[in-house]
Amino acid sequence: MSDAGLKSRLVPRLLLAPAVSTLLLWMIVPLAMTVYFSFIRYNLMRPDVTGSAGWMNYEFFITNPAFGDAVFNTLLLLGSTVLVTVVFGLLIALLINDPFPGRALVRVLLISPFFVMPTVNALLWKHMMMNPIYGVLAQVWTFFGWTPIDWMTDFPLGSIIIMISWQWLPFAVLIFVTALQSMDREQLEASELDGATYLQQLRYLYLPHMARAISVVVMIEVIFLLSVFAEIFVTTAGGPGTASTNLAFLIFTEALLNFDVGAASAGAVFAIILANIVAIFLIRMIGKNLEN
Amino acid sequence: MSFAQKSKSATVIRSSVAWLIALVMFFPILFLTVTAFKTELQAIAVPSVWFFEPTLENFTEVQERSDYLHYAWNSVLTSVMSTLLGLLIAIPAAFSFAFTPTRRTKDILMWMLSTKMMPAVGALVPIYVLSQKTGLLDTRFALIIIFTMMNLPIMVWMLYSAFKDIPHEIFEAARMDGAGLWEEFRHVLLPLGMGGIASTGLLCLVLAWNEAFWVLNLTSSQAGTLASLVASYSSPEGLFWAKLSAVSVLAIAPIVVFGWFSQKQLVQGLTFGAVK
């Protein structure tokens, strides 16, 4: 506003128009349709049954015993992955912050998993790492004389958390390393002369400096991890039972496997509400860090 | 122990731990790549075989059986086109946000981000129905549009935080010299904002290349990308590890190698202005 620039007030608005209008369409049209579908009887296998459904679809979706599990799994998946990646991301970033032989190569190796597509990630871990007979982890377990774990059966959600953390840990490391490089060296040296221990430096210098970077990592991960799908789709298919079903996968099951568009849409409305609750919570918590 | 010695041994320990972690993190990719060159029997051998005569059989079989190049071309086309289209829409918006902010700028930015928090699955049924009705199901065109919209909020946000750091005075000076909007854009924003634009483009390219949700649900043989090709090797062939590895390596190699070379560039914008 203070900027005298772009002459009139019209030009900046015109520049915004394509982005705002397409995003608005992208949001409103599916949202309106989803809400509409959620109130009608719409089953692809029963085209003869039509008409208003009232709150039936919602009732059907909520009373589905899988619903509670799915909400819980969605939040658990999100929470654990964020926690694991932020904590280990910080530790690894601190570890590789100062130069050492081969640091550039270490960085390249560390960030590679971020570029691996979710379907490959999932299949790679399911078969080659976690297979209870031939898998690498089974071999490691046998080497130490332990009984190999049947990951997909005994820890389905845990396995998926491992896969997703493997993918997102590099992202956290990447951001944290970059943030650490802008630390004030003189301040660090001064604190050393004053006899500050490493732990004190971590608490009073590193952590405050990293607050913004941590906020960014949490924000981006929440955006991407609320709707994890491919990893579940190609590994456990939500099972056994509902042990690894998240909300995204449950809606998918209703819509494309049970052909019940009405119930799936009611589920989608729940997913949107949940996402908004998390978003508001998130913006309250870390929004301040993102402002200037 | 003198100070120098102590810090030297500390560096040795620190770098060994760092190397160990890096190798553990990279190990699955290494294992996948090695397995791609094994025969099926070697692939499931326990303990794993590390010295063997490499074979290219798996790769040729993948190409013959499922036309790898077709899917690869779809991946290239959809990710590049959606990135370019996204930049075309996002750059003007970010430019406007960064240099003529209003009271509502922050709110609009937050709203844009919030659209990204809505799970894609919430829009799946409507988008599926719309694509079906318009005959766009299983077309690359639909994927390009969807990838663009999917990445747009992140693009605007990244570009905004990059452009914000360009000093306003430069634009004022340009205007004094009689530069119009296009000249401002061409001679000031583009050169000075190149870093941010490049890293935004790179991230969106990676995200589009790796996108699986929409691809799995909206495409089959026509417009399928590498993400769906890999998924098609998943269930019954679960134990044909060598072929699965070959197709996986073929799917991730282009983007992983691309990522290695562009990581420095990529990181700049990824911090979303969190790093000064």
Side-chain angles (χ1 to χ4, degrees), chain A residues 215-229:
Chain A
S215 309
V216 166
V217 169
V218 172
M219 189 93 158
I220 299 284
E221 287 193 7
V222 168
I223 287 174
F224 283 95
L225 299 182
L226 263 178
S227 44
V228 167
F229 176 80

Side-chain angles (χ1 to χ4, degrees), chain A residues 1 5 12 95 112 139 166 178 212, chain B residues 14 25 48 96 101 260 267 273:
Chain A
M1 203 97 129
L95 188 70
S112 299
Q139 291 181 38
W166 179 68
T178 317
R212 269 172 74 93
Chain B
R14 202 164 44 83
M25 285 291 285
S48 303
S96 170
W260 286 343
V267 171

Side-chain angles (χ1 to χ4, degrees), chain A residues 1-7 9 11-13 15-16 18-20 22-24 26-27 29-31 33-34 37 42 92 94-120 123-125 127-129 131 133-136 139 165-167 169-171 174-175 178-179 182 212-213 216 219-220 222-224 226-227 229-230 233-234 247-248 251-252 255-256 261 264-265 268 271-272 275-276 278-279 282-283 287 290-292, chain B residues 11 14-15 17-19 21-29 31-32 35 44-48 89-90 92-93 95-97 99-104 106 108 110-130 146 149-150 152-154 156-157 160 164 168 172 175 179-181 184 203 206-207 209-210 212-214 216-217 226-227 230-231 233-234 238-239 241 244-245 248 251-252 255-256 259-260 263-264 266-267 270-276:
Chain A
M1 203 97 129
S2 58
D3 199 331
L6 297 184
K7 286 163 200 125
R9 302 184 60 185
V11 175
R13 290 197 183 165
L15 291 175
L16 280 182
V20 171
T22 47
L23 261 184
L24 204 61
W26 171 246
M27 187 191 83
V29 174
L31 185 65
M33 285 174 76
T34 300
F37 288 153
Y42 189 176
I92 294 176
L94 285 168
L95 188 70
I96 63 170
N97 188 32
D98 294 316
F100 61 85
R103 178 157 165 259
L105 189 56
V106 161
R107 239 175 97 127
V108 163
L109 293 179
L110 269 177
I111 61 160
S112 299
F114 183 61
F115 301 115
V116 174
M117 61 176 67
T119 41
V120 169
L123 289 171
L124 160 64
W125 278 91
H127 295 305
M128 282 159 244
M129 297 295 125
N131 183 298
I133 299 163
Y134 309 108
V136 170
Q139 291 181 38
S165 302
W166 179 68
Q167 176 129 52
L169 180 57
F171 172 77
L174 210 58
I175 305 269
T178 317
S182 64
R212 269 172 74 93
V216 166
M219 189 93 158
I220 299 284
V222 168
I223 287 174
F224 283 95
L226 263 178
S227 44
F229 176 80
F233 179 78
V234 290
L247 213 44
I251 298 166
F252 166 81
L256 296 192
V261 175
S265 300
I272 292 168
N276 277 299
V278 174
L282 197 71
I283 288 168
L290 291 173
E291 277 170 20
N292 306 310
Chain B
T11 308
R14 202 164 44 83
S15 56
V17 175
W19 268 101
I21 294 174
L23 290 175
V24 168
M25 285 291 285
F26 189 73
F27 180 80
I29 299 176
F31 191 82
L32 183 80
T35 307
I44 55 164
V46 176
S48 303
I89 303 175
F95 179 52
S96 170
F97 279 141
F99 297 110
T100 46
T102 66
R103 264 172 290 124
R104 261 173 270 135
K106 273 263 143 60
I108 302 179
M110 270 301 162
W111 164 72
M112 285 187 162
L113 266 191
S114 77
T115 65
K116 186 73 198 156
M117 286 195 196
M118 281 207 280
V121 75
L124 173 62
V125 174
I127 297 292
Y128 188 90
V129 172
L130 285 175
I146 288 170
M149 296 319 295
M150 168 184 96
L152 194 58
I154 300 242
V156 174
W157 198 31
Y160 164 73
K164 228 175 29 179
H168 285 213
E172 275 155 31
R175 251 168 255 136
L181 191 63
E184 269 178 43
L203 179 71
V206 173
L207 290 177
W209 184 279
N210 290 342
F213 178 78
W214 292 109
L216 289 174
N217 284 313
L226 290 171
V230 171
Y233 276 75
S234 74
L239 278 173
W241 287 11
L244 176 64
S245 302
S248 303
I252 65 171
I255 207 73
V256 171
W260 286 343
Q263 53 139 334
K264 281 235 164 66
L266 179 66
V267 171
L270 261 185
T271 54
F272 294 95
V275 180
K276 289 285 158 171

Side-chain angles (χ1 to χ4, degrees), chain B residues 21-86:
Chain B
I21 294 174
L23 290 175
V24 168
M25 285 291 285
F26 189 73
F27 180 80
I29 299 176
L30 177 71
F31 191 82
L32 183 80
T33 314
V34 172
T35 307
F37 292 96
K38 292 179 180 174
T39 63
E40 292 296 351
L41 268 179
Q42 289 165 339
I44 55 164
V46 176
S48 303
V49 188
W50 287 95
F51 299 99
F52 57 91
E53 195 166 328
T55 170
L56 289 175
E57 207 181 305
N58 303 310
F59 294 98
T60 46
E61 209 177 313
V62 166
Q63 168 59 17
E64 271 165 29
R65 206 175 88 187
S66 44
D67 198 0
Y68 163 76
L69 290 176
H70 168 72
Y71 291 91
W73 173 239
N74 283 348
S75 276
V76 171
L77 203 71
T78 50
S79 48
V80 170
M81 293 306 280
S82 66
T83 302
L84 291 179
L85 186 60

Side-chain angles (χ1 to χ4, degrees), chain A residues 118-196:
Chain A
T119 41
V120 169
N121 171 355
L123 289 171
L124 160 64
W125 278 91
K126 179 187 178 184
H127 295 305
M128 282 159 244
M129 297 295 125
M130 290 174 167
N131 183 298
I133 299 163
Y134 309 108
V136 170
L137 292 178
Q139 291 181 38
V140 173
W141 258 243
T142 314
F143 178 82
F144 285 107
W146 307 324
T147 318
I149 297 172
D150 189 352
W151 292 90
M152 291 299 146
T153 314
D154 296 336
F155 302 101
L157 193 64
S159 306
I160 288 168
I161 292 172
I162 293 176
M163 294 169 196
I164 296 173
S165 302
W166 179 68
Q167 176 129 52
W168 285 91
L169 180 57
F171 172 77
V173 171
L174 210 58
I175 305 269
F176 292 154
V177 165
T178 317
L180 277 178
Q181 275 158 9
S182 64
M183 279 286 290
D184 189 346
R185 291 267 145 200
E186 285 172 16
Q187 203 182 19
L188 278 176
E189 275 158 27
S191 75
E192 232 155 77
L193 289 180
D194 290 344

